[in-house]
Amino acid sequence: LVGSEMCIRDRSTDSQDFCRSVAAVMKQIGVCWNRQGGPMGDFSKVVHWVLVAMAWLTEHPLQGHRFQDRFLEFFHFCHSFSFETVSVNAMGNSPFTRRQHNLEKPMWMPDPVNDNGNLFYRVTVLELARIRQILGQFNMAPMSHCLQITTNL
């Protein structure tokens, strides 16, 4: 999680724990590439989901809420989020903005190094559908199962 750790190092301890939990679960349930599954193909990377979590936390702070509740809310959000029309930018002033261009890609996250780059450039329409299917099943799982995955962090 080197890239992920670099992204969260300036965040609160609770936010870091949240992002690490998101990373662990996304890898465990197969939403992103996990290095053991062969070539990366059209998978997203775990660091991309950490960035989505950081963007989400900007608008949904953990303070005053149970970690478990926010954790499940995040996965509900990812399952139903309109990635096709809204850009995710954890480093920007507005974490979620309507996409005006590059609509041919099903997911868009601006690359902070390349002005025209997309961190989700590998993800295809079929891959996004697979991600949503997995997250839909995850959302139906009991909360105890969801949190059990994070206890080994």
Side-chain angles (χ1 to χ4, degrees), residues 104-146:
E104 71 279 359
K105 290 291 186 181
M107 299 176 79
W108 191 269
M109 181 181 291
D111 184 333
V113 177
N114 176 359
D115 288 340
N116 295 320
N118 174 17
L119 294 179
F120 278 124
Y121 72 94
R122 292 179 179 272
V123 178
T124 63
V125 172
L126 290 175
E127 176 59 11
L128 179 56
R130 188 189 73 81
I131 289 169
R132 284 199 173 117
Q133 180 182 17
I134 291 169
L135 291 174
Q137 293 169 354
F138 179 84
N139 280 331
M140 289 185 260
M143 192 63 205
S144 59
H145 169 71
C146 301

